[in-house]
Amino acid sequence: MITHDNFERACKSFIDKNAYSDDSIFGGWRWNEHPNYPGLGYLARETIARSTLTAPLNIDAEFGVVNEEGDYAVASSPRDSCDLLEVWQYIVYSATFQVPTFYFSVHTTSGSPLSLDDIMKSSFFRKDAFPDVKKTSFALQAPDHPFPLLSQGEHPVLGTPCWFFHPCETRQALLELVQADGLKEPATGRHLELWLLLVGNVVDLRG
């Protein structure tokens, strides 16, 4: 179990440790406080991915785009001529499951959000990361699993549209990594490093 206070301390320790790191997984993160409500901080960073598509992007006009200030706009533009994609990555505390949760959004350089199908074809998702899942336009569901592995929803702090990995099995997976690493403290920057390596089995965090 990780309390929010432990999560915040771990995040700030993680940032201090990697402040000048050129590591493409652990570097580049920053702590963001909620402008009005204390105790709702989160980690964020922006990275780059590449589209591997040969057909036009399947843009979902109902899935809005936001900038970091939270401004909302509806996407309707066609595919960019460039294949670079902007990926916003967030680490947010789940009060329900008491673990870190990975949220993200992927857009073309003109600001158009990608559909789930197009995201999975991009370099951000590792090839064959989800071989046996049922895919809809808004989720990935594993057979005989009570929760979607990946869902579309609002960022719990910004309130903006994002994708997120459901954290229901994070605690057990993280516990096994922590025990194997020999960590004794409730939550440290090393916990986040181990958790990010776990997330990195599914998505390419290197940017």
Side-chain angles (χ1 to χ4, degrees), residues 60 63 115-117 134-141 148-153 162-164:
D60 181 359
F63 190 84
S115 68
L116 178 56
D117 193 48
K134 178 182 178 181
K135 181 172 61 177
T136 68
S137 60
F138 53 85
L140 295 177
Q141 180 79 48
L149 298 175
L150 179 74
S151 297
Q152 186 184 84
C162 282
W163 299 95
F164 68 96

Side-chain angles (χ1 to χ4, degrees), residues 173-193:
L174 184 57
L175 178 61
E176 293 175 3
L177 290 175
V178 167
Q179 290 176 340
D181 205 61
L183 294 176
K184 303 297 183 182
E185 297 179 58
T188 65
R190 179 58 180 165
H191 283 74
L192 280 182
E193 290 178 351

Side-chain angles (χ1 to χ4, degrees), residues 28-43:
W29 294 92
R30 68 177 185 275
W31 178 256
N32 294 269
E33 293 282 2
H34 192 285
N36 300 316
Y37 302 102
L40 290 178
Y42 60 93
L43 290 175

Side-chain angles (χ1 to χ4, degrees), residues 76-92:
S76 60
S77 61
R79 181 186 178 182
D80 297 298
S81 57
C82 180
D83 66 349
L84 291 180
L85 302 172
E86 297 174 349
V87 183
W88 276 102
Q89 302 176 14
Y90 306 97
I91 302 174
V92 184

Side-chain angles (χ1 to χ4, degrees), residues 32-146:
N32 294 269
E33 293 282 2
H34 192 285
N36 300 316
Y37 302 102
L40 290 178
Y42 60 93
L43 290 175
R45 72 172 184 173
E46 185 181 16
T47 61
I48 297 296
R50 288 187 177 274
S51 170
T52 58
L53 304 174
T54 56
L57 291 177
N58 178 17
I59 299 297
D60 181 359
E62 295 183 358
F63 190 84
V65 296
V66 295
N67 57 29
E68 187 61 12
E69 285 70 41
D71 297 328
Y72 188 90
V74 174
S76 60
S77 61
R79 181 186 178 182
D80 297 298
S81 57
C82 180
D83 66 349
L84 291 180
L85 302 172
E86 297 174 349
V87 183
W88 276 102
Q89 302 176 14
Y90 306 97
I91 302 174
V92 184
Y93 180 73
S94 169
T96 301
F97 293 93
Q98 298 179 309
V99 292
T101 307
F102 187 77
Y103 283 74
F104 66 92
S105 62
V106 184
H107 306 85
T108 64
T109 53
S110 64
S112 299
L114 271 66
S115 68
L116 178 56
D117 193 48
D118 291 338
I119 292 173
M120 293 187 70
K121 294 175 184 176
S122 74
S123 65
F124 183 58
F125 265 56
R126 295 198 178 278
K127 187 178 181 182
D128 301 325
F130 298 107
D132 300 314
V133 297
K134 178 182 178 181
K135 181 172 61 177
T136 68
S137 60
F138 53 85
L140 295 177
Q141 180 79 48
D144 303 321
H145 199 280

